[in-house]
Amino acid sequence: MFTEIVGVGTANGIQVYDLRRGTKLAQCTGVSVGGRQAFSMSEAWVAGVSDKRAVCHVYMLNRGDASAKLVFPFPEEIGCVQVLDGGRYLVAGAKSGRILVWATASGRMLGAWDAHYGAVTALGSSDGVLVSGGEDAAAHVWVLAQALDQLARGDSAVTPIASAAEHTMAISSVHVTPGVLAGRGRIYTAARDHTCKQWRVRVERQGLRYAGRTELLATLLYTAAISDIAVDASETRVFAATAAGLFQSNLYAHTQAGPDGTGTLTALGGTASAVYSEDHVQFAAAETDVVAVGLSCDGTLAVSASRDGVVRVWDTGSRQCLRTMSDKQLAGGVSGVSVQLAPPQLGGPRTLATAGLLRPDAMAEAVVAPRISSISFAPLQRLLRADTAEATAFEAAVKTRLSGSRESMAQFDAQLRQDSAYGQTSRADSRLLGALRPADGSARKQVADLQQQMERLQRHNARTRALNDELYQSAVSEWLAARPQ
């Protein structure tokens, strides 16, 4: 068994619970989360997007109440965020249709590009593959490293390796399984048009780039608009949160072939037919307007959240409600849920050998890792600093020239004397310069000293600009923190 935590985004902040015991572990206050994917968690921190203004709140993931560790403005209005690579990167989907990527440790914006004609409404990722869905009813598949390389080369537009445009309304949820680039993974998209679609991406290598096309494998049709989906690790069941309730859809059907009970598994759906509503199993005790759903790592538990603030934990085998989260902070309404393994400071394992193992209650209470006191998260840049790479390249060129300054001067003098294009005047000038130059080589030394001073001034200027940026970010963060809500 595993020990997982579930984060719940509400109008009163982000609440964190133990999924299997139901106890409340942490509460992140001061941010009103309004979108299904408006917050994301790593092992050490939680990042939430305010639904009232373009501001990011970052909290340390510790037990008890927590106020924001960092508060800073986003460059534009953000609709959804996604943590990548264990918290090293943060990807955001903007309401303008752009995708933005940051390195969290330095706060540096790695890239930003136009992805959709409408707002970006959903993000999913696995193994370096990012899938975005938007209000334009399209889902695009990006290889993140390839997209950032295109931006670094100065390409006019960043192109996805594949796109899916079979939906007729805005994409509401995206789920990506591992192995997409190898042809083993699947992509699941859900939309407001009452359908959930399963895709396979045919990927090819074209030189150093990836290219591909999407292939529709199955279509699941529901009676109401879909708000969120969750897929188990074996990819045999899809759980859909809809305006008509919570549903479970089986992707395979077992057919008996003989009296001994043996049979085969047959995939449902396909390009020619859809899996209709009568083939889905409904959780009878669930509310009618379910906005979010999540699954435990082993697929035995499901957690659902309704718009009116009711959060329930279900046994997926019997579809019985095991518990209902009772918390007054949920009364204001719930917008989304996120399930992940518990970190050490919240009762998770301290060693990789026991990662994810569930401790007995007594041991879980007695053995708790200490609170974390710092996080590797810097205020995110608001602009893509294109001059950073140019400055780095300039400094490298200066250092290359300075490393052999004396040899370069001697080579220049030799070429000047041998250059016949200057004629007698050039040779006379060179003789005059030779007569004026001190014999001890002090002029060359002065030039080298001046070039070294120029190098020091360049480094000092770069440090001063970085310090100015940090002071600006700190001043804006303090002003936002002191600003009345």
Side-chain angles (χ1 to χ4, degrees):
M1 297 179 67
F2 297 87
T3 173
E4 298 105 333
I5 58 174
V6 52
V8 181
T10 71
N12 299 318
I14 303 170
Q15 322 300 324
V16 182
Y17 304 90
D18 188 313
L19 177 61
R20 298 188 180 272
R21 300 183 181 90
T23 58
K24 189 171 184 178
L25 301 176
Q27 176 176 308
C28 304
T29 59
V31 58
S32 177
V33 178
R36 185 195 62 81
Q37 210 173 349
F39 75 98
S40 191
M41 300 189 298
S42 74
E43 290 188 353
W45 48 264
V46 183
V49 181
S50 174
D51 62 348
K52 299 179 179 178
R53 54 183 184 271
V55 176
C56 181
H57 297 250
V58 181
Y59 304 83
M60 286 189 293
L61 194 54
N62 282 318
R63 287 179 179 266
D65 295 347
S67 57
K69 180 69 174 179
L70 292 173
V71 179
F72 51 85
F74 273 122
E76 54 186 297
E77 289 190 58
I78 300 298
C80 51
V81 291
Q82 177 81 21
V83 171
L84 299 182
D85 197 12
R88 291 182 177 88
Y89 305 101
L90 183 68
V91 179
K95 294 184 179 180
S96 64
R98 294 206 307 163
I99 292 178
L100 305 96
V101 184
W102 291 274
T104 56
S106 62
R108 179 185 175 189
M109 182 183 289
L110 302 179
W113 67 90
D114 294 325
H116 293 270
Y117 292 106
V120 180
T121 54
L123 293 172
S125 66
S126 178
D127 298 337
V129 175
L130 177 69
V131 180
S132 63
E135 286 185 348
D136 55 2
H140 298 312
V141 184
W142 316 84
V143 176
L144 189 59
Q146 180 172 301
L148 296 179
D149 285 343
Q150 290 178 341
L151 290 173
R153 289 195 304 266
D155 293 356
S156 58
V158 178
T159 56
I161 66 169
S163 297
E166 296 289 336
H167 289 287
T168 59
M169 297 185 70
I171 306 293
S172 57
S173 182
V174 172
H175 182 86
V176 187
T177 63
V180 171
L181 294 182
R184 298 187 302 269
R186 300 291 183 264
I187 296 173
Y188 299 81
T189 58
R192 309 299 295 179
D193 59 2
H194 301 196
T195 63
C196 172
K197 296 181 182 293
Q198 181 192 44
W199 308 87
R200 175 172 55 193
V201 182
R202 299 283 190 178
V203 181
E204 298 177 354
R205 290 294 298 269
Q206 297 180 353
L208 299 178
R209 300 181 59 183
Y210 288 98
R213 59 183 177 83
T214 56
E215 178 183 343
L216 180 62
L217 299 181
T219 299
L220 309 179
L221 180 62
Y222 296 88
T223 58
I226 306 173
S227 301
D228 193 13
I229 57 172
V231 183
D232 63 352
S234 62
E235 296 186 54
T236 59
R237 297 173 297 173
V238 175
F239 296 83
T242 74
L246 180 62
F247 293 88
Q248 174 185 324
S249 304
N250 297 320
L251 297 178
Y252 295 89
H254 181 269
T255 57
Q256 292 187 358
D260 55 353
T262 61
T264 59
L265 287 177
T266 304
L268 301 179
T271 57
S273 61
V275 180
Y276 293 97
S277 57
E278 57 267 17
D279 297 319
H280 309 312
V281 181
Q282 185 174 7
F283 287 67
E287 284 67 33
T288 55
D289 193 3
V290 181
V291 296
V293 62
L295 280 179
S296 62
C297 296
D298 57 1
T300 60
L301 297 180
V303 55
S304 66
S306 64
R307 193 173 302 277
D308 56 0
V310 179
V311 178
R312 298 182 186 274
V313 179
W314 307 84
D315 178 78
T316 57
S318 62
R319 295 183 296 279
Q320 298 296 315
C321 179
L322 300 181
R323 69 177 58 86
T324 300
M325 303 293 186
S326 57
D327 190 350
K328 63 180 181 180
Q329 300 296 336
L330 303 176
V334 175
S335 58
V337 298
S338 176
V339 180
Q340 69 177 40
L341 289 176
Q345 69 273 15
L346 294 183
R350 297 193 184 187
T351 62
L352 292 179
T354 58
L357 295 183
L358 179 66
R359 292 195 178 108
D361 292 346
M363 186 177 180
E365 295 294 335
V367 183
V368 178
R371 294 170 59 90
I372 56 175
S373 57
S374 63
I375 54 176
S376 181
F377 201 114
L380 305 181
Q381 290 181 352
R382 301 187 65 185
L383 298 175
L384 182 61
R385 295 282 299 278
D387 59 331
T388 303
E390 297 175 0
T392 304
F394 175 77
E395 292 176 1
V398 169
K399 292 179 181 178
T400 301
R401 290 197 297 270
L402 291 177
S403 62
S405 57
R406 295 181 184 274
E407 292 79 5
S408 299
M409 287 293 295
Q411 184 179 4
F412 174 78
D413 290 343
Q415 292 177 352
L416 182 63
R417 293 190 181 94
Q418 295 174 3
D419 191 356
S420 59
Y422 286 93
Q424 296 296 327
T425 304
S426 177
R427 287 192 288 271
D429 291 343
S430 64
R431 285 195 297 270
L432 178 61
L433 289 174
L436 293 176
R437 183 182 293 116
D440 58 355
S442 59
R444 293 192 184 93
K445 184 176 183 301
Q446 290 176 4
V447 172
D449 291 341
L450 289 174
Q451 289 178 330
Q452 290 176 0
Q453 292 180 14
M454 183 179 67
E455 182 187 21
R456 287 194 294 270
L457 288 175
Q458 290 288 343
R459 291 199 300 266
H460 177 72
N461 180 54
R463 289 195 297 267
T464 303
R465 292 181 63 181
L467 180 60
N468 180 67
D469 292 342
E470 293 179 2
L471 290 174
Y472 171 77
Q473 295 284 359
S474 300
V476 172
S477 300
E478 292 178 1
W479 179 79
L480 290 173
R483 185 179 180 183
Q485 299 293 331

